[in-house]
Amino acid sequence: MNDNINDIDNAVTVRNVYKNYGEVEALRDLLLDFPRGQLTSLLGPSGCGKTTLLKIIAGLLPANSSEILVNNQPLTGPGPDRAFVFQDFALLPWANVLRNVAFGLKLLGVARSEREAIAETYIGNVGLQGFEKRYPHELSGGMRQRVGLARALSVDAEVLLLDEPFSAVDEQTRRKFQEDLLHLANNENKTFIFVTHSIEEAVYVSDQVALLLARPSRVSEIIRPEGFRHKDAGSIRRDPEYLDIVVRIWASLRTYVE
Amino acid sequence: MSCGANKAFAWVNVRSTQSINTSLGIGIGLAIGLSRKFDWLVSPIFVVMQTAPLAALIPLLVMVYGIGLTSKVIVVCIMAMPVIVLNTSGAVRNTPASIIEMGHAFLGTKLDIILKIILPAASPIIFAGLRLGVSAGFIGAILSELKITPTGVGDIITFSRSIADYPTMYAAITSIIVLAVIFLNVLARLENYLFKGSQQTYASE
Ligand SMILES: Nc1ncnc2c1ncn2[C@@H]1O[C@H](COP(=O)(O)OP(=O)(O)OP(=O)(O)O)[C@@H](O)[C@H]1O
Ligand SMILES: [Mg+2]
């Protein structure tokens, strides 16, 4: 595989990112690359600044200082090349599923019939067909999360930023979602940046796992689970390399828990 | 007699004042909710207006603005505006930060975010304020007719009471109530038409 960083085409490069919230130093001199077309997980103890980093990349939060390139262009703010899936869904409670999914396209000025046709497709892709006319309060947490995912997919951004997208669902659904995500990552030629608390989940879906240290946060280690990427979804969890990596990451992280 | 025409005239005024209150009140409330500076500058006025004992202010208003329409319009405004403005600004300020952030993430302009996110999100509370404000405005209208100049429905009520013409008095009172109810009903329909489903609770919380 290609280990030379300079040869890899990166969708997003993050250099020298510092972020303070008043006295609290959240990120210090953070450096990380997100190779195009790959899925990178951010894994780290709670409160270490994963959401902060994701929002900085999304252009929603200003860093104290940063050198961030998105498609080799300096980051200036939110852009059509990035779409965000929010941890708390951020759905419009007065709009039904169809209008929620189409909302991103509406803000881009896509005509109604066109945006609804696109939204319809992605509603199908995330398995919500038949629920177009339902309102968010009529859906389960997992279904709401899928609405958020469909909304992000429908604007067809190259980079998808997912903030703990599976935290609101039960374990069975979560496993299903993980398989779906793996499928999505393989089929759509998109770059995924994925925040999670689950070591198993990170190793299962990622091309690259970035371990973040406790605050002030930097990347302590980058792990690339490559040996089992080509395997089918069902047999990954039995792969020795998968199990090895899970144990290794836990060994790194447990020092911060203790 | 010109009484009928006069009455109709007065009520048209009340209603146009109510519409002015509505749009201006929402506008000011929106500005207060969106801008800290404007809030600092303007909201004390409405807090004072809301707490001021109106009956005591009326002589003052008459002294300044005379016994004409201006004073009456002001009385209606003092009654109706504060609750509309303060409700609107509170609702605007309480729009969940996460859906505003979502609007930014999906490249909404400032106007997009106000029109497509903040206003619909605030609309249930804005309309609750409108209902209260409009009712208060009717009280202000009657009060001004009773206290400032004997015209319109207020005059009919006082006059018919003084000559013991009770049927007319009751008719006048009933007509006010009916008008107020119709107005509130129209408001409720408008709300339903504009923001179907917005009465739902915040599902994302
Ligand atoms: N708006 C804010 N004001 C002040 N401090 C903040 C703010 N947002 C985050 N922080 C602090 O910055 C640190 C990083 O927060 P962040 O939300 O990025 O963590 P996280 O890694 O996403 O945590 P979790 O895994 O629990 O979601 C935390 O210690 C938090 O207390
Ligand atoms: Mg977080």
Side-chain angles (χ1 to χ4, degrees):
Chain A
M1 287 271 126
N2 200 337
D3 279 331
N4 187 342
I5 292 268
N6 294 321
D7 288 354
I8 296 177
D9 178 21
N10 290 317
V12 179
T13 21
V14 172
R15 297 269 180 281
N16 304 321
V17 170
Y18 292 80
K19 174 70 190 176
N20 294 5
Y21 291 104
E23 295 288 289
V24 179
E25 193 176 8
L27 304 176
R28 180 196 287 173
D29 192 17
L30 193 132
L31 181 153
L32 188 57
D33 290 326
F34 299 92
R36 192 179 305 284
Q38 299 199 0
L39 194 154
T40 302
S41 294
L42 303 175
L43 190 63
S46 184
C48 74
K50 304 180 293 293
T51 301
T52 304
L53 177 60
L54 213 58
K55 289 195 171 162
I56 289 173
I57 294 172
L60 295 172
L61 194 69
N64 290 74
S65 77
S66 67
E67 290 164 36
I68 297 176
L69 300 179
V70 179
N71 291 324
N72 302 313
Q73 299 296 316
L75 176 99
T76 50
D81 43 13
R82 281 151 290 146
F84 207 107
V85 179
F86 292 86
Q87 180 169 7
D88 61 356
F89 324 128
L91 303 181
L92 305 174
W94 60 85
N96 60 27
V97 169
L98 183 63
R99 283 179 55 207
N100 261 300
V101 173
F103 190 72
L105 293 165
K106 182 178 179 177
L107 292 180
L108 290 176
V110 178
R112 185 184 187 125
S113 57
E114 193 186 341
R115 68 174 185 251
E116 290 192 343
I118 297 171
E120 199 77 64
T121 317
Y122 285 100
I123 289 171
N125 284 1
V126 299
L128 283 176
Q129 55 275 75
F131 290 91
E132 290 86 349
K133 295 279 174 271
R134 297 298 183 82
Y135 286 89
H137 73 279
E138 300 173 300
L139 305 177
S140 72
M143 292 161 94
R144 287 177 207 166
Q145 192 57 266
R146 280 184 272 173
V147 176
L149 186 61
R151 178 176 60 196
L153 289 171
S154 62
V155 295
D156 199 25
E158 295 151 55
V159 180
L160 278 173
L161 304 154
L162 303 103
D163 193 1
E164 295 187 39
F166 306 153
S167 57
V169 300
D170 59 82
E171 188 57 30
Q172 295 93 298
T173 318
R174 191 171 183 136
R175 289 198 173 214
K176 170 76 171 61
F177 276 16
Q178 290 167 359
E179 288 180 12
D180 290 349
L181 180 64
L182 210 52
H183 200 70
L184 205 66
N186 290 336
N187 292 337
E188 305 249 351
N189 190 23
K190 293 189 191 298
T191 307
F192 291 80
I193 305 180
F194 178 76
V195 171
T196 178
H197 272 139
S198 159
I199 299 173
E200 282 83 0
E201 182 169 283
V203 181
Y204 183 72
V205 299
S206 310
D207 296 298
Q208 165 179 294
V209 181
L211 292 190
L212 301 188
L213 290 178
R215 243 185 29 233
S217 200
R218 277 181 301 127
V219 176
S220 71
E221 205 176 332
I222 293 174
I223 295 157
R224 309 190 115 264
E226 279 165 338
F228 50 84
R229 267 296 136 240
H230 57 277
K231 291 198 173 179
D232 66 284
S235 48
I236 292 179
R237 287 185 220 274
R238 278 182 273 124
D239 189 275
E241 189 190 342
Y242 165 84
L243 296 167
D244 266 2
I245 293 175
V246 169
V247 171
R248 208 170 93 211
I249 293 177
W250 171 231
S252 302
L253 286 179
R254 73 179 301 161
T255 45
Y256 298 105
V257 182
E258 279 164 358
Chain B
M1 274 209 0
S2 71
C3 182
N6 194 354
K7 176 175 138 191
F9 179 71
W11 281 104
V12 167
N13 275 320
V14 168
R15 284 168 67 182
S16 44
T17 310
Q18 294 281 35
S19 327
I20 294 170
N21 274 325
T22 303
S23 36
L24 203 64
I26 293 177
I28 296 174
L30 188 62
I32 291 178
L34 291 174
S35 149
R36 289 257 152 237
K37 263 195 204 132
F38 202 77
D39 178 25
W40 181 85
L41 206 65
V42 175
S43 44
I45 299 173
F46 291 98
V47 175
V48 170
M49 264 164 115
Q50 196 172 33
T51 44
L54 189 62
L57 282 182
I58 285 179
L60 192 72
L61 288 172
V62 172
M63 238 167 71
V64 177
Y65 296 103
I67 53 168
L69 192 64
T70 322
S71 298
K72 291 188 191 172
V73 169
I74 290 176
V75 168
V76 174
C77 287
I78 290 180
M79 285 296 288
M81 283 281 237
V83 63
I84 297 176
V85 168
L86 297 176
N87 259 37
T88 302
S89 64
V92 164
R93 205 169 298 134
N94 284 327
T95 309
S98 77
I99 56 175
I100 295 179
E101 193 166 49
M102 184 276 291
H104 287 297
F106 287 97
L107 304 176
T109 61
K110 254 198 151 107
L111 193 67
D112 280 334
I113 286 169
I114 292 174
L115 293 182
K116 294 171 187 158
I117 294 176
I118 293 177
L119 274 182
S123 74
I125 298 172
I126 291 179
F127 272 93
L130 278 187
R131 277 192 289 272
L132 293 173
V134 164
S135 320
F138 274 102
I139 297 173
I142 297 300
L143 211 62
S144 70
E145 290 186 338
L146 289 175
K147 290 228 151 206
I148 298 177
T149 42
T151 51
V153 183
D155 178 44
I156 296 172
I157 295 172
T158 356
F159 181 70
S160 50
R161 193 188 56 186
S162 67
I163 60 167
D165 178 6
Y166 294 118
T168 311
M169 187 186 89
Y170 283 124
I173 292 173
T174 314
S175 73
I176 297 167
I177 294 172
V178 167
L179 195 71
V181 168
I182 290 174
F183 205 92
L184 288 176
N185 242 305
V186 168
L187 209 61
R189 264 160 214 246
L190 183 72
E191 178 182 5
N192 246 324
Y193 169 77
L194 283 179
F195 303 108
K196 244 181 282 157
S198 59
Q199 294 88 342
Q200 322 299 354
T201 48
Y202 282 92
S204 56
E205 286 174 352

